[in-house]
Amino acid sequence: MTGDLDLQLKRWSVSWREQRRHHRQDLLPSVSVELQRWSADRALGPSHQADLLDLSEGGACLAIANDLPLKPGEQVQIRIPSTTGEPQLHRVYVRWRDDAEVIAAIGVQFLHSDDATA
């Protein structure tokens, strides 16, 4: 995904910055993460690879394969690798999606335990 990702990032970067509520830290090169759909109290289906592009206090932006059918409104669990031990698991809500030819970007909002009951 790297070549396509680099080109698409240049196209997306201006519009992302205009829509942010919190300052985000760009992660270039991106960080490889795993994501999995989540419903009620359990993970659903297989896990998928994604690239973590940037991160903020309230959310993140990920690049995913265009054929992964994640839509705004869905909940996902993200496993972010850690340099100090176990990976960090975060439940998130997909806020938006922007499709390109081969990849898509999704914006996610971190859920707190009281938000994640749906």
Side-chain angles (χ1 to χ4, degrees), residues 7 56-57 88 92:
L7 290 174
S56 79
E57 179 182 331
Q88 298 177 3
V92 299

Side-chain angles (χ1 to χ4, degrees), residues 104-117:
I106 59 171
V108 298
Q109 177 181 348
F110 293 120
L111 293 174
H112 303 287
S113 58
D114 54 334
D115 296 334
T117 57

Side-chain angles (χ1 to χ4, degrees), residues 8 15 22 52 110:
Q8 194 59 45
S15 63
H22 300 285
L52 182 62
F110 293 120

Side-chain angles (χ1 to χ4, degrees), residues 91-109:
R91 297 254 313 277
V92 299
Y93 175 82
V94 178
R95 301 287 294 175
W96 57 265
R97 179 180 174 130
D98 189 0
D99 287 288
E101 289 181 32
V102 179
I103 58 175
I106 59 171
V108 298
Q109 177 181 348

